[in-house]
């Protein structure tokens, strides 16, 4: 990694290098998540598809913890690199690696012990119970590689190697797609097979990430003497990465709430359609995540080096790109949505209803990129309060609020209207946070003068 070229080179080229690799990586990740859904829908039907959706809130806990450490540590490491604090960054890497192993063991044990009550709590019963339990158990038995893969990916990117970060995800995606076909379609293992395929893909990604840091090829080296938990560094990681954890956790809680409301006002077919809607919007959400994650280390480098003007230009480029992509994807969905929905094995009699609901569900997509970009930006410069409000206001507050309030008036359709209303409403939350941040900055300047 050449830090000087990052801080002084052509800004658009630097941005494109980091963001394109990150975007390709998350597209591959999203593709293999969708492939899970497609194969489960084709191999296990609507009940299997609903089972994966019911299990997903529990899976988000693992994803969230991985990102808690990965996003928190990568943000801090980027700043340390910008400040030329090599040793501090390496101490942080050791702390994160040991913490992830300990947490992974705890999650594996807990997952095995409390599988039945958790699956019941998630709302699985009758035709979805076994599908949900199978998916849950396999994922939790693979908690350690799942955690490591989600943490190592942003760490590799923060180390200045976005290309390898992309390869990590690509290897996992290819492995998952091949094994999905084998386990779910050929062997008929249902959701258990889908979870095993996903877990195998995650292991491939983890091996590449570990090899990078353990082989000495990384800029930030792994040292045995730093393979200890430094409490002060761990606290800093948790502070910065907490918003990433809460975003994932809030997604799980929102899905849990919405699943229960769907069962109250609808049926298994409604959950299957909702699951496809989730897969659909996840494509754009993950694009936003890829763009914002590609931007984050660049913001951190420039923030650490006190290069404010270039940092703000990076933010502007990212916002413009996110909005344009959101509009284009929405237009593609409106034009070709029915062809996409067919891939998930939805009954042909349900296709018109599914298309209508999924288009409604995704109407607020262009707003999501703005929110994700600003949340990542605030996280990168240690504005943790602003980052939490912006990121969680949309998912944890507005989505749950609209999901609870709308169905009593318009039935199960309310769940599908809740998404665009929360996406659009989040822009108003962001505007308030930006106004507050601007006023606070102005007041500090007055105090200094």
């Amino acid at each position: 990694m050449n830090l000087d070229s990052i801080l002084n080179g052509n800004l658009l080229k630097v941005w494109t290098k980091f963001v394109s690799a990150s975007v390709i990586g998350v597209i591959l990740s999203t593709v293999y998540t969708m492939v899970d859904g497609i194969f489960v829908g084709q191999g296990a039907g609507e009940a299997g598809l609903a089972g994966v959706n019911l299990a997903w809130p529990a899976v988000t806990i693992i994803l969230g913890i991985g990102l808690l450490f990965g996003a928190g540590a990568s943000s801090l490491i980027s700043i340390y690199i910008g400040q030329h604090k090599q040793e501090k960054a390496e101490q942080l890497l050791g702390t994160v690696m040991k913490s992830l192993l300990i947490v992974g063991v705890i999650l594996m044990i807990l997952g095995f012990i409390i599988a039945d009550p958790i699956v019941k709590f998630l709302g699985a019963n009758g035709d979805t119970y076994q599908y949900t339990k199978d998916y849950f158990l396999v994922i939790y038995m693979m908690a350690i590689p799942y955690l490591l893969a989600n943490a190592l990916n942003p760490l590799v990117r923060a180390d200045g190697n976005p290309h390898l970060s992309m390869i990590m995800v690509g290897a996992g995606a290819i492995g998952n797609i091949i094994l999905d076909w084998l386990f779910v379609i050929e062997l008929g293992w249902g959701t258990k097979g889908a979870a095993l395929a996903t877990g195998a893909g995650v292991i491939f990604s983890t091996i590449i990430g570990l090899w990078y840091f353990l082989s000495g090829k990384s800029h930030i080296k792994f040292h045995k003497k730093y393979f200890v938990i430094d409490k002060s560094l761990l606290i800093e990681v948790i502070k910065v990465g907490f918003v990433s954890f809460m975003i994932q956790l809030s997604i799980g809680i929102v899905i849990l709430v919405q699943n229960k409301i769907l069962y109250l006002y609808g049926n298994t077919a409604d959950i299957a359609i909702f699951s496809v809607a989730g897969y659909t919007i996840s494509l754009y959400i993950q694009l936003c995540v890829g763009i914002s994650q590609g931007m984050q280390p660049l913001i951190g480098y420039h923030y650490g080096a006190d290069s404010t003007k270039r940092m703000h230009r990076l933010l502007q480029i990212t916002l413009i790109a996110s909005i344009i992509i959101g509009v284009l994807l929405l237009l593609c969905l409106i034009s070709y949505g029915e062809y996409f929905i067919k891939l998930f094995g939805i009954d042909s009699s349900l296709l018109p209803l599914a298309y209508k609901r999924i288009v409604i569900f995704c109407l607020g997509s262009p707003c999501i990129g703005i929110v994700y970009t600003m949340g990542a930006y605030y996280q990168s410069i240690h504005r943790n309060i602003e980052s939490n409000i912006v990121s969680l206001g949309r998912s944890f507050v507005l989505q749950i609020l609209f999901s609870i309030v709308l169905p009593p008036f318009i039935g199960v359709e309310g769940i599908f209207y809740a998404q665009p209303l929360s996406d659009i409403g989040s822009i108003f939350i962001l505007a308030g946070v930006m106004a507050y941040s601007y006023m606070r900055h102005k007041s500090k300047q007055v105090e200094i003068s």
Side-chain angles (χ1 to χ4, degrees):
M1 179 184 67
N2 189 334
L3 184 61
D4 183 66
S5 65
I6 291 173
L7 295 176
N8 300 300
N10 182 283
L11 195 63
L12 188 58
K13 286 184 178 179
V14 171
W15 181 88
T16 302
K17 176 185 176 183
F18 274 76
V19 171
S20 61
S22 179
V23 166
I24 292 170
V26 296
I27 287 176
L28 291 171
S29 177
T30 305
V31 165
Y32 82 71
T33 301
M34 285 184 174
V35 166
D36 264 353
I38 291 169
F39 279 122
V40 168
Q42 297 288 344
E46 291 168 3
L49 200 57
V52 173
N53 190 63
L54 288 167
W56 199 251
V59 177
T60 59
I61 294 174
I62 297 179
L63 297 176
I65 294 173
L67 287 174
L68 168 75
F69 287 98
S74 64
S75 178
L76 291 168
I77 284 174
S78 298
I79 293 172
Y80 291 149
I81 290 174
Q83 295 172 338
H84 302 286
K85 294 181 179 179
Q86 177 87 8
E87 186 177 2
K88 196 79 170 177
E90 290 171 349
Q91 289 174 338
L92 187 60
L93 178 63
T95 292
V96 166
M97 295 293 286
K98 186 155 190 176
S99 299
L100 286 168
L101 290 174
I102 293 171
V103 174
V105 171
I106 293 171
L107 286 174
M108 287 174 65
I109 295 171
L110 283 176
F112 182 77
I113 293 173
I114 63 174
D116 283 310
I118 288 295
V119 170
K120 290 176 183 176
F121 175 73
L122 292 171
N125 55 43
D127 56 349
T128 60
Y129 184 85
Q130 195 58 48
Y131 285 126
T132 306
K133 184 178 178 181
D134 286 346
Y135 198 84
F136 171 86
L137 271 175
V138 173
I139 293 297
Y140 268 74
M141 290 304 99
M142 295 186 172
I144 291 177
Y146 229 112
L147 288 172
L148 287 171
N150 278 281
L152 285 169
N153 197 274
L155 287 171
V156 168
R157 197 163 43 247
D159 192 63
N161 200 332
H163 181 68
L164 184 66
S165 173
M166 178 186 69
I167 292 173
M168 286 175 63
V169 180
I174 293 169
N176 181 72
I177 290 170
I178 294 171
L179 293 175
D180 255 328
W181 167 79
L182 176 62
F183 294 161
V184 180
I185 302 299
E186 292 299 307
L187 299 178
W189 290 355
T191 54
K192 185 188 295 182
L196 283 169
T198 300
V202 164
I203 290 172
F204 297 152
S205 297
T206 300
I207 289 171
I208 295 171
L210 288 175
W211 166 82
Y212 177 67
F213 283 110
L214 296 177
S215 65
K217 296 184 179 296
S218 56
H219 176 72
I220 303 300
K221 310 296 182 185
F222 177 82
H223 298 286
K224 288 183 180 179
K225 65 179 179 179
Y226 294 142
F227 190 58
V228 293
I229 296 178
D230 185 309
K231 290 182 180 179
S232 62
L233 287 176
L234 181 60
I235 290 170
E236 285 301 308
V237 168
I238 292 172
K239 282 181 180 178
V240 177
F242 183 73
V243 64
S244 297
F245 169 73
M246 286 304 298
I247 288 172
Q248 286 296 324
L249 185 64
S250 67
I251 290 171
I253 293 172
V254 168
I255 293 173
L256 178 63
V257 170
Q258 291 175 329
N259 282 340
K260 290 185 178 295
I261 294 172
L262 280 165
Y263 261 132
L264 183 62
Y265 291 91
N267 50 41
T268 299
D270 292 318
I271 292 182
I273 292 173
F274 179 72
S275 180
V276 177
Y279 283 120
T280 304
I281 203 168
S282 71
L283 175 62
Y284 177 59
I285 288 177
Q286 290 305 311
L287 274 173
C288 295
V289 169
I291 292 170
S292 61
Q293 285 183 349
M295 174 197 74
Q296 271 190 302
L298 296 174
I299 296 291
Y301 299 147
H302 287 81
Y303 181 71
D306 200 26
S307 181
T308 306
K309 188 175 180 180
R310 276 174 66 92
M311 183 177 74
H312 288 158
R313 286 177 61 199
L314 283 166
L315 177 62
Q316 291 169 1
I317 293 170
T318 309
L319 284 169
I320 292 168
S322 298
I323 295 169
I324 292 173
I325 292 172
V327 172
L328 290 175
L329 283 178
L330 182 58
L331 292 174
C332 286
L333 176 63
I334 293 170
S335 301
Y336 306 106
E338 285 196 19
Y339 300 102
F340 178 74
I341 295 166
K342 284 180 182 178
L343 295 173
F344 290 87
I346 295 292
D347 190 277
S348 58
S349 64
L350 293 173
L351 275 177
L353 177 64
Y355 171 77
K356 171 196 164 189
R357 286 177 172 179
I358 291 169
V359 169
I360 289 169
F361 192 79
C362 297
L363 282 176
S365 295
C367 300
I368 299 174
I370 301 171
V371 174
Y372 269 78
T373 297
M374 291 306 300
Y377 169 74
Y378 285 129
Q379 186 181 35
S380 299
I381 61 173
H382 287 199
R383 299 274 187 87
N384 297 322
I385 293 175
E386 288 95 329
S387 181
N388 276 282
I389 294 173
V390 169
S391 301
L392 300 179
R394 168 185 164 269
S395 55
F396 204 66
V397 178
L398 294 180
Q399 275 188 286
I400 291 178
L401 176 65
F402 286 123
S403 295
I404 293 172
V405 170
L406 293 178
F409 296 98
I410 58 176
V412 74
E413 298 290 332
I415 292 295
F416 294 90
Y417 280 97
Q419 179 75 37
L421 288 174
S422 62
D423 294 337
I424 295 166
S426 63
I427 296 298
F428 293 95
I429 294 176
L430 173 61
V433 169
M434 291 177 70
Y436 162 77
S437 184
Y438 176 77
M439 294 302 293
R440 191 175 72 167
H441 178 68
K442 280 291 185 183
S443 64
K444 283 184 178 180
Q445 284 185 325
V446 171
E447 288 175 8
I448 293 171
S449 61

